Structures are given as C-alpha cells and as structure tokens.
Amino acid sequence: MSARRRYNAKRQNTNLAGFVVCLVFVLAILVFLDQNVFVVKRISVAGNKSVSDSDIIALSGISMGQKMRSLDLDKVSDNFRREGNMELIDVSRQWPDAITIEVDERNVVGIVGHLGTAILIDEDC
C-alpha cells in the first residue's frame, strides 16, 4: 500500500472517530437535559382576585416536578376555556424551572340554566 493510501485511510479513520465522539457528546447532553434539570419548580399566578393560586394551578393541570419540555400549553388553555368563570390571559415557560400563569376572573352578573347546564353571564356578554 502506498504512503498516500495509508495517509487517506488514516485520515478517514480520524474523521469517523471525530464524528463518533461528537455524536456521543450530543447524546450525553440530550440525556442530561432530559433529567431533573429542566423541571417545574415554581409556578406563579397573576391576575386572580377571589380564586386561590392553588385552585388556578390545579385547574391548569401543571404539577411540580413535571418536565418543562413536556408541558402542553394548549391543553392548559383548553382547561381554562372549559372552566368558564376565568379567562386565561397567558401561560408561559420561564426557563429553566418556572411557569407563569396570568388569568382574568370574569365578573359574573347572572347565571342562566339551559339543558341542565349553568351558563355564566359576565359583563362582556
């Protein structure tokens, strides 16, 4: 085998080894980030007047220790939309470990019964 072929073979092996090292490094970072680094440790609530923070957090469906990456913010919005007496203004991730929930409590001025359900009437209706 000529010197040039040996040089090219050695260079290809070096490139492959470098690629494998980079791939292992990236995978290690991904595994590390998926551990308990980016989990919910704080949930702050703003805009509530009569409903407690704990009730709003329970309604959101977010729990302490949940992975930040796995939070479904659309599902949180759906939870508030079904509630009726409260409007979700914003829910956001505050990396690396906090969630902020901003709500607006509706001022109920009346309740109408319809087909076995109660419909809340607020100032905006």
Side-chain angles (χ1 to χ4, degrees), residues 43 54-64 66 71-72 75-77 79-80 101:
I43 303 174
S54 60
D55 287 343
I56 292 172
I57 292 169
L59 177 62
S60 74
I62 299 171
S63 58
M64 296 295 208
Q66 190 173 352
L71 291 175
D72 186 354
K75 185 177 178 183
V76 173
S77 295
N79 292 346
F80 278 90
I101 302 171

Side-chain angles (χ1 to χ4, degrees), residues 24-86:
V24 168
F25 182 70
V26 167
L27 289 174
I29 288 174
L30 291 174
V31 167
F32 174 74
L33 293 179
D34 198 42
Q35 299 302 316
N36 292 333
V37 176
F38 294 110
V39 296
V40 177
K41 296 178 184 167
R42 291 178 291 128
I43 303 174
S44 59
V45 177
N48 53 327
K49 297 173 189 110
S50 61
V51 179
S52 70
D53 289 359
S54 60
D55 287 343
I56 292 172
I57 292 169
L59 177 62
S60 74
I62 299 171
S63 58
M64 296 295 208
Q66 190 173 352
K67 293 180 180 178
M68 293 284 285
R69 190 173 45 84
S70 70
L71 291 175
D72 186 354
L73 301 182
D74 291 332
K75 185 177 178 183
V76 173
S77 295
D78 290 343
N79 292 346
F80 278 90
R81 206 175 351 267
R82 281 192 305 262
E83 173 59 25
N85 68 340
M86 198 175 316

Side-chain angles (χ1 to χ4, degrees), residues 72-116:
D72 186 354
L73 301 182
D74 291 332
K75 185 177 178 183
V76 173
S77 295
D78 290 343
N79 292 346
F80 278 90
R81 206 175 351 267
R82 281 192 305 262
E83 173 59 25
N85 68 340
M86 198 175 316
E87 180 182 2
L88 178 66
I89 303 297
D90 186 44
V91 60
S92 59
R93 295 176 177 98
Q94 307 298 318
W95 294 96
D97 61 1
I99 300 293
T100 301
I101 302 171
E102 186 178 351
V103 297
D104 182 26
E105 291 184 38
R106 294 189 173 128
N107 187 15
V108 177
V109 294
I111 299 174
V112 176
H114 180 67
L115 299 175

